Amino acid sequence: YPIYNNTLMYIHKCVLVKFSHFIIPNGKRDLKPQDSRKSQLSSWSFQLAGILQDVSQEELYARVCRRVVLGALDGYNGTLMCFGQTGAGKTYTMTGSTESYKQRGIIPRALQEVFQEMAKRTDYAFSVHLSYLEIYNEILVDLLSSLQDLPQLSPRGMVVVEEPGRGVFIRGLSLHPVHSEEEALNLLFEGEMNRIIGSHALNRNSSRSHCIFTVHIESRSRTLSVAKYVTSKLNLVDLAGSERLGKTGSEGQMFKEAMYINKSLSFLEQAILALADRRRDHVPFRQSKLTHALKDSLGGNCNTVLVANIYGEAAQIEETLSTLRFASRMMCVRTNPAVNEHMDPAQIKKLQKDVHMLKEELSFYNTLVNRPRVMYEPLSEAQLAEIHSQVQRYLKGSLEEISIISIRQVQAVFAQFKLAVQSKRQGEGSPVSKKRLESASKSKLNFVQMPEREQESQEPDTESQDTQESQPPGNEPFNPEYVYCII
Ligand SMILES: Nc1ncnc2c1ncn2[C@@H]1O[C@H](COP(=O)(O)OP(=O)(O)OP(=O)(O)O)[C@@H](O)[C@H]1O
């Protein structure tokens, strides 16, 4: 790819990171910037997932983000993070341009997708909350705090905390329920506005901060009354631009801002290096507010995508190389995405109560129809042995029928038949050992849910069915092929 072409204003803006080969052009010595005398290299290669050159916002979203956003609706945490030098297009990529609808960025598109997809998944009840955090010079700022009636917390009142079962979260950061794309977009714009107002009031540059827009999703099945529910966090991160201190000659407040940014980005890089190194068991997440806030969003069970924004100008080669180096390090971080499932204690209690009530109903019903022997507890060893013996006697013809007393018993009988067929096929013959009997009764579900093809192959043809029907029950020799006809 002809990256260093001075005629290009932006080369495309986004390099995305995962496995593939990205090569900066060979032998373009003339395009090497004047001030990189230290390096004699004129070509570099980086392991990245792909390069997006001059692509539309729509294509970028489809290729890089959609998978992560849909994953969040299934219960996987997701992080989409833009990284790169100042002015390389991170905010454009993440939020987009206000000039036209077509140029909207990842966040508005992700919100649209979340609500559209939720409307399609009618079997689930979703709830969505939003938060918008800014980290400026190691100070946490809630960009949506103005929307709450609660007294405003001072920045010092907000802290990054970790709790078992809840993971990492910011204590004091406001969470806002949203029910439609429109509501969610309003909050995004409110946050953006607060970011600008805050930066004017405090006389600081709004682009010199890290921003984390988080979509918190919770889903519960509407059809199954299970105590299980699923949660996820979709973090959309616009990092502050990296910049060499010497290059801009910044001083005063700008110098301080740049120092904080570089420090936090360097801690981010250290955390990523540690995450990528399997021999390291400690990852220094607590070194900065940024890494601490992103602790469970970089590696672990999270779907993480880094979008590295770069300039296509030769004069920016130092920053471009440093961005790509960072990106290729991120490539080495192994993640193991997993659904965040939780059990709702209140729902568990309710289900236990329901089971208790149903058991009482059943026992009442059994008494009415004079069936007091029915048991609903798992079968004991003695009961399993009795079933084993009954089935053996039935197969030999010495027992005419097995009386049905409960569903559990029917399942254990079925499991016995299955074992008998299997051992006959393997030429082992009966009797079936007690150990196999126990394991068969445990595997009753497998038996009930036999795959269709297996069922088909074990079903006798009509002819043999007829033959079997015409045989008198009782003293005929046991033919396992017919067992499933009985079933
Ligand atoms: N792909 C693009 N197409 C058109 N304009 C773009 C593109 N990328 C960025 N721009 C424009 O370039 C300017 C700088 O981009 P942007 O503010 O997104 O950079 P940034 O990396 O977020 O900078 P900073 O680190 O200072 O926040 C903006 O005016 C933006 O609209």
Side-chain angles (χ1 to χ4, degrees):
Y1 293 98
I3 302 290
Y4 295 114
N5 179 346
N6 281 325
T7 59
L8 277 178
M9 177 70 174
Y10 303 102
I11 92 171
H12 116 202
K13 302 282 145 182
C14 309
V15 177
L16 99 103
V17 180
K18 272 220 146 168
F19 310 82
S20 91
H21 218 67
F22 167 50
I23 301 171
I24 297 181
N26 282 313
K28 297 241 171 180
R29 280 181 182 277
D30 50 328
L31 293 178
K32 222 173 82 178
Q34 299 305 307
D35 60 351
S36 68
R37 285 185 201 101
K38 276 178 267 165
S39 164
Q40 294 306 303
L41 278 175
S42 59
S43 74
W44 299 264
S45 73
F46 298 92
Q47 290 282 326
L48 305 170
I51 174 162
L52 303 174
Q53 184 170 1
D54 278 334
V55 296
S56 64
Q57 296 277 53
E58 187 184 0
E59 190 181 340
L60 165 89
Y61 179 81
R63 285 177 57 183
V64 183
C65 313
R66 178 160 292 137
R67 187 182 57 85
V68 181
V69 174
L70 294 180
L73 285 161
D74 293 331
Y76 294 92
N77 285 342
T79 299
L80 288 158
M81 190 159 63
C82 287
F83 176 86
Q85 80 182 94
T86 295
K90 298 178 294 299
T91 307
Y92 179 86
T93 305
M94 194 46 83
T95 317
S97 159
T98 45
E99 276 161 32
S100 85
Y101 185 67
K102 256 180 112 177
Q103 288 179 20
R104 68 199 193 283
I106 292 174
I107 301 181
R109 283 169 198 272
L111 291 173
Q112 182 182 40
E113 181 115 55
V114 163
F115 284 98
Q116 277 178 356
E117 194 62 26
M118 272 165 35
K120 285 188 213 154
R121 301 188 186 191
T122 47
D123 285 351
Y124 290 88
F126 287 95
S127 71
V128 179
H129 288 77
L130 300 182
S131 64
Y132 205 173
L133 175 75
E134 183 182 32
I135 305 176
Y136 174 77
N137 288 4
E138 283 299 277
I139 296 169
L140 301 173
V141 182
D142 183 351
L143 290 176
L144 297 178
S145 65
S146 58
L147 295 169
Q148 279 205 330
D149 295 336
L150 300 167
Q152 290 218 358
L153 280 171
S154 77
R156 305 251 172 255
M158 286 172 48
V159 270
V160 188
V161 281
E162 288 173 62
E163 269 178 19
R166 195 171 165 193
V168 176
F169 65 100
I170 316 293
R171 181 169 292 145
L173 181 66
S174 59
L175 272 184
H176 301 265
V178 280
H179 307 96
S180 65
E181 183 193 341
E182 196 188 345
E183 268 186 69
L185 285 177
N186 284 343
L187 287 192
L188 170 66
F189 297 140
E190 181 80 27
E192 293 292 314
M193 197 55 82
N194 285 341
R195 189 179 178 191
I196 293 164
I197 294 170
S199 62
H200 284 312
L202 300 171
N203 188 27
R204 60 181 168 82
N205 186 338
S206 67
S207 77
R208 312 306 287 148
S209 59
H210 309 295
C211 275
I212 308 177
F213 184 85
T214 308
V215 186
H216 306 254
I217 303 173
E218 186 183 301
S219 78
R220 289 168 193 264
S221 171
R222 283 186 208 272
T223 49
L224 306 168
S225 67
V226 285
K228 208 171 68 180
Y229 67 100
V230 163
T231 60
S232 61
K233 273 191 298 189
L234 177 63
N235 285 310
L236 303 165
V237 188
D238 183 3
L239 294 171
S242 54
E243 193 78 77
R244 278 180 304 139
L245 279 178
K247 189 175 176 184
T248 48
S250 48
E251 30 181 65
Q253 181 168 335
M254 275 175 70
F255 182 79
K256 195 173 153 198
E257 283 170 344
M259 283 265 292
Y260 272 112
I261 292 169
N262 286 355
K263 229 171 152 182
S264 62
L265 291 177
S266 133
F267 287 141
L268 179 65
E269 195 155 1
Q270 284 176 28
I272 281 164
L273 278 173
L275 278 170
D277 186 348
R278 283 162 190 231
R279 290 161 304 173
R280 298 265 299 265
D281 49 12
H282 174 72
V283 180
F285 283 117
R286 286 164 175 265
Q287 293 189 112
S288 75
K289 296 273 191 324
L290 177 70
T291 46
H292 201 184
L294 291 177
K295 181 175 173 185
D296 57 2
S297 309
L298 291 174
N301 72 354
C302 186
N303 273 319
T304 307
V305 172
L306 177 79
V307 177
N309 292 79
I310 55 174
Y311 264 101
E313 293 171 5
Q316 309 297 337
I317 192 165
E318 291 292 338
E319 274 82 7
T320 298
L321 287 175
S322 122
T323 301
L324 293 174
R325 255 178 230 121
F326 178 90
S328 58
R329 279 176 190 147
M330 188 75 185
M331 282 288 289
C332 303
V333 176
R334 294 275 168 273
T335 60
N336 192 12
V339 173
N340 299 296
E341 280 181 351
H342 310 269
M343 286 296 184
D344 182 345
Q347 185 70 1
I348 290 177
K349 259 194 178 160
K350 188 189 162 294
L351 289 174
Q352 281 171 341
K353 218 171 140 192
D354 287 352
V355 169
H356 181 73
M357 284 244 318
L358 288 170
K359 275 186 179 174
E360 291 206 330
E361 278 283 325
L362 265 177
S363 105
F364 180 64
Y365 171 79
N366 286 330
T367 316
L368 282 182
V369 294
N370 212 12
R371 288 174 56 209
R373 241 167 22 98
V374 185
M375 284 179 309
Y376 302 103
E377 305 308 322
L379 298 173
S380 67
E381 293 222 347
Q383 287 168 321
L384 287 171
E386 171 57 23
I387 289 169
H388 169 66
S389 148
Q390 281 182 356
V391 170
Q392 291 303 316
R393 280 185 285 138
Y394 180 80
L395 293 173
K396 281 182 192 139
S398 59
L399 179 66
E400 220 160 87
E401 59 181 41
I402 299 171
S403 41
I404 303 301
I405 52 166
S406 72
I407 296 288
R408 282 188 197 274
Q409 178 240 4
V410 171
Q411 286 172 331
V413 169
F414 271 64
Q416 276 304 301
F417 281 126
K418 184 183 183 186
L419 263 185
V421 174
Q422 283 174 345
S423 52
K424 187 83 182 169
R425 279 195 180 147
Q426 289 161 10
E428 288 169 14
S430 292
V432 178
S433 73
K434 191 161 168 253
K435 204 168 167 201
R436 293 190 67 196
L437 158 71
E438 282 162 15
S439 70
S441 65
K442 280 177 195 147
S443 68
K444 55 188 179 279
L445 274 180
N446 293 342
F447 176 58
V448 173
Q449 296 172 346
M450 213 169 24
E452 261 169 39
R453 208 184 294 156
E454 201 184 320
Q455 278 176 345
E456 276 166 24
S457 67
Q458 289 176 3
E459 260 170 17
D461 54 25
T462 338
E463 206 183 309
S464 52
Q465 244 175 13
D466 291 339
T467 321
Q468 200 262 341
E469 273 171 16
S470 65
Q471 280 174 350
N475 293 335
E476 290 302 317
F478 164 58
N479 183 346
E481 291 304 318
Y482 298 142
V483 169
Y484 290 95
C485 296
I486 297 165
I487 291 163

